[in-house]
Amino acid sequence: ATRMRPDAIIRPDFKFEDMGVGGLDNEFSQIFRRAFASRIFPPGLIDKLGINHVKGLLLYGPPGTGKTLIARKIGKLLNGSAEPKIVNGPEILSKYVGSSEENIRNLFKDAEAEYKQKQENSSLHIIIFDELDSVFKQRGSRGDGTGVGDNVVNQLLAKMDGVEQLNNILIIGMTNRIDLIDNALLRPGRFEVQVEIKLPDEKGRRQIFDIHAKKMKDNELLGNDIDFDKLAALTKNFSGAEIEGLVKSAASFAINKSIKVGTVANVDIKKVSAMKVSMNDFLMAL
Ligand code: ATP
């Protein structure tokens, strides 16, 4: 008998623009097509095709480019998915030494229990594994001599390999160093879909400025002289996180203009209420 699979559905109100992720449209559509489009197929089609859902997605690239941001949004976009569980590689190795394997087992416990109980409409369980490279370095190169890492690796692989029918799980791994990751981990059934998240290009940077300055803009706190096109051009090699930092820093410069050095008593209320974040504040921040 064909069993109904716990396929997810996309929230009907979902719009990529509302995700607050800038400059990653192509990457996101790649992730969507390769990593979880199969989950919105009609139940049974996957069986007929003789394929499995992707259980592991690896996002790699420089720090601060939105990997975590995207991983969290994937959960939001799929209807009926549980709140993602977030694991940090170094943490699982150090803080819980001795019980690392148990921690890995616990990660899967809810998904397993739910799947067994009500196979027909189990929710999708997303596990976000940050700094994957710290745990999954090429065998023999870890060199901490404790063997703790190997146990964690084996435990996670056992869970990924052993969960053939447990298809209510999507593990999103993240790393800045894909070159350090053990090849065994990139095989089908494991982190088989790998998507690079690069530093944003000029157009992407422009979008990221818009996202992070939206609140100021909506509250009419942006000066008329702001030229985000120019700022996008001036911020080559900035990550999304750095652009966010720049926007916050510009706001600090603007606030400081309305404060005379000294005490709170010297805050010029008139100036504060008329405050705008100007192009000059952005350039100072830069
Ligand atoms: P790391 O490799 O250091 O973990 P990461 O790629 O996971 O970095 P995030 O944690 O997603 O980076 O980014 C940090 C913050 O920077 C985000 O919460 C967001 O506010 C901002 N940011 C980064 N990239 C983008 C982006 N493409 N669009 C909008 N905001 C971004």
Side-chain angles (χ1 to χ4, degrees):
T2 334
R3 181 177 44 72
M4 290 267 285
R5 296 220 177 217
D7 299 327
I9 59 161
I10 299 281
R11 298 222 157 119
D13 54 347
F14 172 77
K15 282 202 215 90
F16 182 74
E17 306 90 82
D18 299 340
M19 282 174 80
V21 182
L24 294 172
D25 306 26
N26 289 336
E27 287 79 356
F28 186 76
S29 85
Q30 242 197 87
I31 292 168
F32 182 81
R33 278 184 284 112
R34 293 170 60 201
F36 59 92
S38 69
R39 295 190 186 268
I40 57 168
F41 288 174
L45 182 56
I46 289 278
D47 281 334
K48 286 184 193 158
L49 288 169
I51 60 169
N52 291 316
H53 291 310
V54 166
K55 278 179 290 188
L57 160 70
L58 183 68
L59 301 179
Y60 66 96
T65 45
K67 296 183 289 299
T68 314
L69 200 59
I70 280 211
R72 285 166 171 274
K73 301 284 177 173
I74 288 175
K76 292 231 159 72
L77 140 83
L78 295 170
N79 234 344
S81 51
E83 191 60 26
K85 290 198 173 72
I86 304 185
V87 213
N88 176 264
E91 216 168 68
I92 218 157
L93 284 185
S94 64
K95 194 161 137 205
Y96 309 108
V97 177
S99 60
S100 312
E101 291 160 80
E102 198 190 328
N103 278 292
I104 296 274
R105 266 196 302 276
N106 283 339
L107 277 178
F108 290 85
K109 228 159 71 185
D110 291 348
E112 279 169 348
E114 202 174 295
Y115 192 73
K116 277 181 201 140
Q117 265 174 26
K118 38 165 195 165
Q119 297 203 336
E120 309 230 324
N121 51 2
S122 168
S123 45
L124 178 66
H125 290 259
I126 296 179
I127 299 170
I128 301 178
F129 208 118
D130 196 8
E131 296 186 60
L132 201 65
D133 51 278
S134 64
V135 181
F136 292 96
K137 288 200 176 110
Q138 306 277 351
R139 261 156 251 224
S141 69
R142 201 163 25 241
D144 58 4
T146 61
V148 171
D150 286 330
N151 292 341
V152 173
V153 172
N154 293 335
Q155 186 70 45
L156 186 74
L157 291 184
K159 285 295 176 195
M160 289 184 98
D161 293 341
V163 290
E164 211 58 80
Q165 333 85 304
L166 188 69
N167 59 2
N168 59 344
I169 272 178
L170 176 65
I171 308 178
I172 307 177
M174 290 178 294
T175 181
N176 302 141
R177 297 290 308 271
I178 195 175
D179 56 305
L180 292 181
I181 303 248
D182 198 319
N183 275 331
L185 214 68
L186 309 178
R187 289 211 300 256
R190 297 178 177 174
F191 293 95
E192 61 187 295
V193 174
Q194 298 127 33
V195 177
E196 183 177 13
I197 307 293
K198 294 193 189 118
L199 286 174
D201 61 11
E202 195 169 318
K203 190 169 155 247
R205 294 196 295 274
R206 168 71 219 238
Q207 285 173 13
I208 298 170
F209 270 112
D210 284 339
I211 288 166
H212 290 288
K214 184 174 186 304
K215 200 154 192 182
M216 298 176 185
K217 186 168 182 232
D218 290 350
N219 290 309
E220 295 175 0
L221 287 171
L222 275 185
N224 295 327
D225 61 339
I226 298 282
D227 183 350
F228 282 128
D229 285 332
K230 186 170 175 200
L231 287 166
L234 287 171
T235 45
K236 192 161 183 275
N237 291 328
F238 272 53
S239 67
E242 285 167 336
I243 291 173
E244 181 184 14
L246 185 69
V247 173
K248 289 187 171 153
S249 174
S252 303
F253 274 104
I255 289 172
N256 278 311
K257 271 187 311 199
S258 48
I259 300 176
K260 286 189 201 119
V261 182
T263 61
V264 204
N266 288 328
V267 172
D268 183 335
I269 294 297
K270 250 196 191 153
K271 262 193 175 168
V272 173
S273 4
M275 190 195 94
K276 299 263 184 205
V277 186
S278 69
M279 185 65 176
N280 194 46
D281 296 319
F282 274 91
L283 294 174
M284 294 286 283
L286 191 64

